C-alpha cells in the first residue's frame, strides 16, 4: 500500500489533471495538498510495516537467555589468545585466554534477518525520515533486553559475550547525533555487566575484545548497511585489521613482483616446494636424455660424412673431372 501511494501521481498523470482542475500549474494549491496527504499516508504505511518487522526482531532476540541450556545455541566459538606475563620470580609465563570473536548467535541472526528483509524492499526508495529512527529502535530493543539480562546472576563468560554484543551494536548503530541519547543508559549497563567479571581478567581481556569488535563490525557493515547511520559507515570502513604477519613473510610461488592487492597470496609449504622441484628436475633429466642421444647420433653421422668426403679416392676423382674441360658439356 505504501508503494502504491508513492507511485500514485507519477504513474497516473490523468489523476494530476483531475486534481488540478482548471487551475494553472503554479497556482494549484489543491494538488499540493493532495500530494502532501498521499506522502503522509505513504510514510504511515511504511512505519506500520517497519513496526511489524521490529516486533519480529524483538521476538527473535529474546531467545538469548542466561539459562545453561541456551549457551550452546547462543555463544560462538571463541578465539584462543596466548599472552605472556612475568611471574614473581622474574620468569616469563605463557597462558591461553579465550576471547569472543563475534556477536552472540541470536543477536547477529536477528539483526541480519531484519536487515535482509529491509534490503529486499529496496530501502533506497524509503522516505529519508524512516531508516534513522529504525536504527534507534533496534538499539533501544537491544538495550532493553540486555538490561533485563544484566539484572540476573551471570557467569563471567556470558557477561563477556554480552559486553562484546553491546560494543558491537554501539559501534554499528549509534551515530554522532544519538550518542548523547544513549550515553547514560549504555554506561550503566556496561558497568553492571563488568561487575560479573574479575577486574584483573577484564583488564587483560579488554584490548583483545575491542580489537575483535572492530573486526566484526568491519565484516558486517555491508550486510547491515541499511541500519548503519551514514556517519558510521565511513568510520567503520576505515578500520584496519592488525595482523602479526605481513604478505612478504608468506612462502608463496612468486608469479609477479608486486601481486594484486585484491587477491590474497597462496601459501605453499617448504616440503611441497621441495617435492615440486625434485619432480621437475627428474622430468627434465628424462627429457634431456633422449635429446642428447639423438644429438650424438646426428653428430656421429656428420663426422662420418666429413671423413668420407676427405678420403683420397674422392680427392682424385674431383681433380680428374676438374681437369677435363669437355666433361659436362654438350658440344
Amino acid at each position: 500500500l505504501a508503494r502504491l501511494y508513492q507511485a500514485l501521481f507519477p504513474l497516473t498523470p490523468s489523476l494530476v489533471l483531475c486534481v488540478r482542475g482548471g487551475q494553472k500549474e503554479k497556482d494549484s494549491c489543491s494538488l499540493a495538498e493532495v500530494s502532501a496527504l498521499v506522502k503522509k499516508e505513504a510514510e504511515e504505511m511504511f512505519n506500520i510495516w517497519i513496526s511489524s518487522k521490529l516486533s519480529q526482531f524483538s521476538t527473535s532476540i529474546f531467545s538469548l537467555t542466561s539459562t545453561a541450556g541456551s549457551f550452546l545455541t547462543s555463544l560462538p566459538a571463541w578465539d584462543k589468545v596466548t599472552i605472556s606475563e612475568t611471574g614473581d620470580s622474574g620468569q616469563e609465563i605463557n597462558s591461553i585466554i579465550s576471547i569472543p570473536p563475534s556477536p552472540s548467535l541470536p543477536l547477529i541472526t536477528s539483526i541480519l534477518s531484519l536487515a535482509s528483509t529491509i534490503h529486499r524492499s529496496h530501502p533506497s526508495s524509503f522516505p529519508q525520515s524512516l531508516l534513522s529512527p529504525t536504527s534507534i529502535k533496534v538499539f533501544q530493543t537491544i538495550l532493553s533486553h540486555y538490561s533485563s539480562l544484566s539484572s540476573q546472576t551471570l557467569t563471567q563468560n556470558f557477561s563477556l559475550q554480552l559486553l562484546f554484543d553491546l560494543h558491537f551494536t554501539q559501534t554499528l548503530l549509534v551515530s554522532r547525533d544519538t550518542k548523547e541519547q544513549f550515553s547514560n543508559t549504555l554506561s550503566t549497563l556496561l558497568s553492571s555487566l563488568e561487575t560479573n567479571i574479575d577486574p584483573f581478567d577484564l583488564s587483560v581481556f579488554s584490548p583483545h575484545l575491542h580489537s575483535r569488535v572492530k573486526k566484526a563490525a568491519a565484516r558486517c557493515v555491508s550486510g547491515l548497511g541499511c541500519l548503519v547511520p551514514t556517519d558510521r559507515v565511513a568510520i567503520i570502513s576505515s578500520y584496519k585489521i592488525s595482523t602479526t604477519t605481513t604478505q612478504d613473510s608468506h612462502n608463496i610461488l612468486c608469479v609477479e613482483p608486486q601481486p594484486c592487492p585484491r587477491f590474497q597470496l597462496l601459501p605453499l609449504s617448504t616440503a611441497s616446494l621441495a617435492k615440486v622441484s625434485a619432480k621437475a628436475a627428474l622430468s627434465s633429466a628424462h627429457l634431456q636424455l633422449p635429446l642428447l642421444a639423438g644429438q650424438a647420433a646426428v653428430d656421429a653421422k656428420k663426422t662420418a660424412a666429413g671423413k668420407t668426403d676427405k678420403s683420397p679416392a674422392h680427392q682424385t676423382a674431383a681433380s680428374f673431372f676438374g681437369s677435363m674441360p669437355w666433361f659436362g658439356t654438350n658440344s
Side-chain angles (χ1 to χ4, degrees):
L1 189 57
R3 295 292 187 193
L4 176 62
Y5 284 138
Q6 273 189 331
L8 186 60
F9 285 111
L11 296 181
T12 56
S14 299
L15 180 62
V16 176
L17 297 176
C18 294
V19 173
R20 185 185 303 167
Q23 298 178 350
K24 296 181 179 180
E25 185 175 357
K26 295 182 179 179
D27 301 332
S28 180
C29 298
S30 58
L31 179 61
E33 293 176 357
V34 174
S35 299
L37 180 61
V38 171
K39 182 179 179 181
K40 182 179 178 181
E41 290 294 328
E43 290 181 358
E44 291 181 359
M45 293 298 105
F46 275 120
N47 284 325
I48 293 174
W49 181 80
I50 286 291
S51 299
S52 64
K53 301 306 175 183
L54 286 175
S55 63
Q56 296 177 6
F57 169 76
S58 302
T59 305
S60 179
I61 200 176
F62 285 161
S63 62
L64 178 62
T65 60
S66 59
T67 58
S70 67
F71 286 170
L72 295 178
T73 58
S74 300
L75 301 184
W78 285 18
D79 290 343
K80 295 186 180 299
V81 180
T82 303
I83 59 174
S84 299
E85 300 175 352
T86 303
D88 297 336
S89 60
Q91 295 180 352
E92 185 176 352
I93 302 175
N94 294 328
S95 57
I96 299 176
I97 60 174
S98 297
I99 304 293
S102 59
S104 59
L105 299 181
L107 173 63
I108 193 62
T109 303
S110 303
I111 198 169
L112 280 176
S113 177
L114 176 61
S116 299
T117 303
I118 297 177
H119 274 304
R120 286 194 297 267
S121 302
H122 305 287
S124 58
S125 62
F126 287 5
Q128 295 182 356
S129 60
L130 185 64
L131 292 179
S132 180
T134 302
S135 301
I136 296 175
K137 291 177 182 179
V138 169
F139 193 63
Q140 287 175 343
T141 303
I142 295 173
L143 287 181
S144 176
H145 180 57
Y146 279 53
S147 297
S148 63
L149 290 176
S150 64
S151 61
Q152 305 174 12
T153 302
L154 304 176
T155 61
Q156 175 169 312
N157 288 343
F158 193 70
S159 300
L160 194 63
Q161 181 65 60
L162 296 184
L163 278 178
F164 185 99
D165 294 350
L166 288 176
H167 286 299
F168 173 78
T169 52
Q170 179 190 11
T171 303
L172 283 172
L173 303 179
V174 179
S175 63
R176 187 184 302 106
D177 299 332
T178 59
K179 186 176 182 180
E180 296 294 334
Q181 178 181 351
F182 300 107
S183 178
N184 295 330
T185 305
L186 186 60
S187 61
T188 302
L189 182 56
L190 291 176
S191 300
S192 177
L193 292 174
E194 289 174 355
T195 56
N196 300 313
I197 305 175
D198 183 81
F200 176 76
D201 293 341
L202 182 62
S203 63
V204 175
F205 292 161
S206 293
H208 303 283
L209 185 71
H210 289 297
S211 63
R212 281 162 174 77
V213 166
K214 292 183 177 180
K215 181 179 178 180
R219 186 170 59 244
C220 297
V221 66
S222 298
L224 304 176
C226 60
L227 298 176
V228 180
T230 306
D231 60 333
R232 297 300 303 171
V233 174
I235 297 175
I236 297 173
S237 301
S238 64
Y239 288 157
K240 295 182 178 180
I241 303 173
S242 60
T243 55
T244 55
T245 59
T246 60
Q247 287 189 344
D248 295 336
S249 63
H250 284 215
N251 183 14
I252 64 165
L253 181 63
C254 183
V255 180
E256 291 290 337
Q258 293 182 354
C260 181
R262 290 182 57 190
F263 301 97
Q264 295 182 354
L265 300 179
L266 302 176
L268 298 176
S269 62
T270 307
S272 299
L273 289 176
K275 292 180 180 179
V276 170
S277 60
K279 290 181 179 179
L282 185 59
S283 61
S284 62
H286 285 300
L287 290 175
Q288 290 177 1
L289 285 176
L291 293 176
L292 292 176
Q295 187 66 29
V298 172
D299 294 341
K301 291 181 180 179
K302 290 183 177 180
T303 304
K307 290 181 179 179
T308 305
D309 293 340
K310 295 180 180 180
S311 61
H314 177 74
Q315 293 177 359
T316 303
S319 60
F320 172 77
F321 290 109
S323 60
M324 299 295 177
W326 50 266
F327 183 79
T329 60
N330 296 326
S331 57

